[in-house]
Amino acid sequence: SLNNGRSIPAIGLGTLCAKESLKEIVRSAVIDYGYRHIDTARDYQNEEFVGEAIQSILKEGKIKREDLFVTTKIFNHEKGKGQIEPMLKESLKKLQLDYVDLVLVHWPIGATDKETKKITQTPLYQTWAEFEECCSKGLCKSIGVSNFGVQLLLDMFSYCKIRPAVNQIEVHPYLTQEDLVKFCQDQGIVVEAYSPLGSLGTLDWRPCKDNILEDKVLKELAEKYKKTPAQIALNWGLRRNYVIIPKTEKKERLEENMAAGSFTMEEGDYAKVTKLNRDMRCFDLKYWEGTLHIPIFS
């Protein structure tokens, strides 16, 4: 449950990088495998595909809008005051929805210019006030943040009228973020884990090339419980009481990921997975091309 009394499904469908194939993936996820939580973002440039999928599902009449939990995200924009509501309305138009269940501040930075090294952004307190206004107007049911650390959250607590319901961060067995996860949960903020299996799509540019799904411990536990390494990693995340949003464009993975919560491991085995932490980030602005390589997590 969120801190405003609303519910959020514990397993969602991540959609980063998915576009043309997304309509069929979302339909299959919802209709065939029982997914009710769909996560997208303006920056993913696929909201229209998510919207088409949702509308095709709703037209069949078996699933209602209120049965679905739809999340989108907006960057802390550089254009100044009054930009959040128009951007959210643009997202709603693409999604063909009257509201989203959750909208997040995608990253706590605005625009960067690689040549001048200039960073331009709206102050976060101003951005958050606009998020709160969107919530009061019914454009979204809940508001939250993404990629926020403790210091930013503490500052937000000093000025917010509505506390963030969610902090969506990268969490997986190689990046456990135990202190941040505990802080958020202690403060009534639900943690959502993106890239809960690591991200093979970032192998080309991130310094650490390790593939979580090839980890020896996860493979041993998978054999012990007759599951896959991915299910072991996802089950570990669910055990830590946060939401997981694995992304896949393969229908056969949809069922596998959704079944991750169908079993329980021994406490000692959960501890083994936690000990795999090596602070490996798959998504770090420090390594992104086209940016100032901002060490935002330092």
Side-chain angles (χ1 to χ4, degrees):
S1 295
L2 301 177
N3 55 20
N4 59 7
R6 296 185 177 277
S7 296
I8 182 171
I11 302 177
L13 176 67
T15 63
L16 175 64
C17 298
K19 292 188 179 180
E20 287 80 1
S21 64
L22 191 55
K23 183 174 179 178
E24 278 307 308
I25 290 296
V26 171
R27 278 186 53 84
S28 183
V30 173
I31 294 173
D32 299 329
Y33 301 111
Y35 284 75
R36 294 295 181 265
H37 182 174
I38 305 165
D39 181 274
T40 184
R42 281 176 54 87
D43 198 52
Y44 296 173
Q45 299 180 23
N46 62 15
E47 289 173 314
E48 62 269 35
F49 299 112
V50 173
E52 290 172 7
I54 291 174
Q55 290 308 309
S56 70
I57 291 168
L58 296 180
K59 285 178 182 178
E60 293 184 7
K62 297 179 181 179
I63 295 172
K64 299 178 181 179
R65 168 65 184 95
E66 55 266 31
D67 296 328
L68 300 176
F69 191 100
V70 182
T71 298
T72 194
K73 313 177 196 77
I74 298 174
F75 265 82
N76 183 37
H77 214 264
E78 75 277 9
K79 291 184 178 180
K81 188 175 181 179
Q83 294 300 310
I84 299 302
E85 183 174 330
M87 287 193 288
L88 179 53
K89 285 182 174 178
E90 183 180 340
S91 290
L92 290 174
K93 184 177 180 179
K94 291 179 179 178
L95 290 165
Q96 301 181 53
L97 298 174
D98 295 325
Y99 68 90
V100 287
D101 298 273
L102 177 65
V103 61
L104 306 176
V105 180
H106 202 159
W107 286 87
I109 62 166
T112 62
D113 188 311
K114 198 171 183 180
E115 291 186 4
T116 64
K117 299 189 182 302
K118 184 179 180 181
I119 302 172
T120 310
Q121 70 181 63
T122 303
L124 281 168
Y125 73 86
Q126 184 173 298
T127 296
W128 191 249
E130 294 184 34
F131 269 67
E132 292 173 329
E133 183 66 18
C134 287
C135 196
S136 69
K137 291 182 177 180
L139 300 176
C140 52
K141 300 296 185 182
S142 302
I143 52 179
V145 297
S146 183
N147 299 298
F148 273 48
V150 171
Q151 187 171 354
L152 281 171
L153 290 171
L154 286 171
D155 186 51
M156 179 172 279
F157 294 164
S158 72
Y159 58 74
C160 66
K161 295 178 181 177
I162 302 175
R163 278 200 173 199
V166 165
N167 188 14
Q168 187 179 116
I169 57 176
E170 182 181 344
V171 191
H172 46 71
Y174 284 1
L175 182 67
T176 58
Q177 300 221 63
E178 293 180 73
D179 289 341
L180 179 54
V181 168
K182 185 178 186 305
F183 175 82
C184 289
Q185 292 176 339
D186 286 347
Q187 294 300 314
I189 300 172
V190 168
V191 172
E192 275 191 338
Y194 70 76
S195 296
L197 300 174
S199 176
L200 296 181
T202 62
L203 282 173
D204 289 341
W205 54 266
R206 58 178 160 94
C208 183
K209 307 298 183 184
D210 293 342
N211 180 351
I212 290 173
L213 300 183
E214 294 298 325
D215 186 88
K216 180 181 177 181
V217 171
L218 293 185
K219 284 187 170 183
E220 289 175 349
L221 292 175
E223 184 175 353
K224 176 178 178 178
Y225 292 100
K226 307 303 180 187
K227 304 296 179 182
T228 66
Q231 288 177 316
I232 298 297
L234 295 176
N235 183 273
W236 166 82
L238 292 171
R239 181 70 169 190
R240 298 177 78 207
N241 296 315
Y242 54 71
V243 174
I244 56 172
I245 45 173
K247 173 251 177 182
T248 184
E249 294 182 65
K250 298 179 180 179
K251 290 186 178 181
E252 60 269 24
R253 297 285 185 242
L254 292 172
E255 182 176 14
E256 177 183 328
N257 293 345
M258 181 54 84
S262 64
F263 65 100
T264 301
M265 297 192 293
E266 297 173 7
E267 287 301 322
D269 290 333
Y270 287 113
K272 287 179 181 178
V273 179
T274 301
K275 289 178 181 178
L276 295 176
N277 180 57
R278 57 189 67 179
D279 294 330
M280 183 194 85
R281 289 189 181 276
C282 298
F283 290 89
D284 192 334
L285 298 183
K286 184 165 60 174
Y287 306 114
W288 282 11
E289 290 299 324
T291 73
L292 296 182
H293 304 289
I294 301 170
I296 194 170
F297 298 115
S298 295

